[in-house]
Amino acid sequence: MAAKDEPIIIKKYANRRLYNTGTSTYVTLEDLADMVKKGEEFTVQDAKTGDDITHPVLTQIIFELENKDGQNMLPIPFLRQLIAFYGDQMQMIVPSFLEQSMIAFSKEQERFREQMKGALGKSPLDMMKIATPIKALEEQTRRNMEMFQNAMRLFTPFPPAGSNGSSALPAEPARKEGSEKPDDLQELKEQIAAMQRKLDTMS
């Protein structure tokens, strides 16, 4: 059995059954989703090989939830953009950006929950004040995406194929990419960190 400070081991067998070694019981994907919501750490291992398969199992949970009526959270434009990043030079940056964005969103979510609790039973005017943090969060998300898109341009080494524009304009970015790519990567990381600090100040 895992120690208290270690993730619970979930073993997945060839028949697709999942076994929680912490409770010595078989569990379902729904049970794992509940564990995630409760903040319980776990890793999923292939019972035969011992390989860590947590990522595909969590992805499967999201797939199952997205297919339940009324539970869709991932809009089609987001899914299209996400798919487009696979195999792209920006793929290595996307996970960090998404992780930091979700951490920041979670912090705002907790603040919003507290305000909702405090507003129960209050007047309609007090309830209207609840919309303020939502609008602030939407605006911050919009700014985050703009900053991310600007940062992505640092990683575009060549102008689009078939461009008929002046050759003098794309020449410098192409040369910059070849000689300063590590610096550009560092700059992007700093921008992501700056985004996180800016979101923290909203709390």
Side-chain angles (χ1 to χ4, degrees), residues 1 8 19-27:
M1 181 179 289
I8 297 168
Y19 184 78
N20 185 332
T21 61
T23 59
S24 300
T25 57
Y26 285 99
V27 293

Side-chain angles (χ1 to χ4, degrees), residues 178-192:
S179 60
E180 297 181 17
K181 187 171 181 180
D183 292 339
D184 289 344
L185 178 58
Q186 181 59 35
E187 183 178 345
L188 180 56
K189 288 180 179 178
E190 289 171 2
Q191 286 183 359
I192 292 175

Side-chain angles (χ1 to χ4, degrees), residues 52-98:
D52 188 328
I53 55 173
T54 306
H55 186 279
V57 169
L58 292 178
T59 304
Q60 186 179 357
I61 290 173
I62 292 174
F63 176 79
E64 295 288 340
L65 292 173
E66 282 290 308
N67 278 281
K68 284 188 177 180
D69 291 337
Q71 292 219 62
N72 305 94
M73 283 202 307
L74 304 178
I76 290 177
F78 172 79
L79 292 173
R80 291 184 188 279
Q81 291 175 340
L82 195 60
I83 291 170
F85 279 129
Y86 283 94
D88 186 86
Q89 57 187 351
M90 290 305 302
Q91 183 173 340
M92 63 180 179
I93 302 298
V94 174
S96 177
F97 174 78
L98 292 178

Side-chain angles (χ1 to χ4, degrees), residues 112-158:
F112 180 63
R113 285 181 191 276
E114 290 303 316
Q115 290 178 338
M116 282 292 286
K117 287 179 184 177
L120 289 177
K122 293 188 177 181
S123 69
L125 183 61
D126 291 328
M127 291 297 291
M128 287 175 63
K129 294 177 182 178
I130 295 296
T132 303
I134 295 178
K135 290 179 180 177
L137 182 59
E138 289 176 346
E139 180 60 28
Q140 186 61 48
T141 302
R142 195 175 299 113
R143 286 197 296 268
N144 284 354
M145 288 308 300
E146 289 175 359
M147 187 179 299
F148 183 53
Q149 288 167 353
N150 289 334
M152 284 195 297
R153 293 191 183 102
L154 295 173
F155 286 78
T156 305
F158 305 108

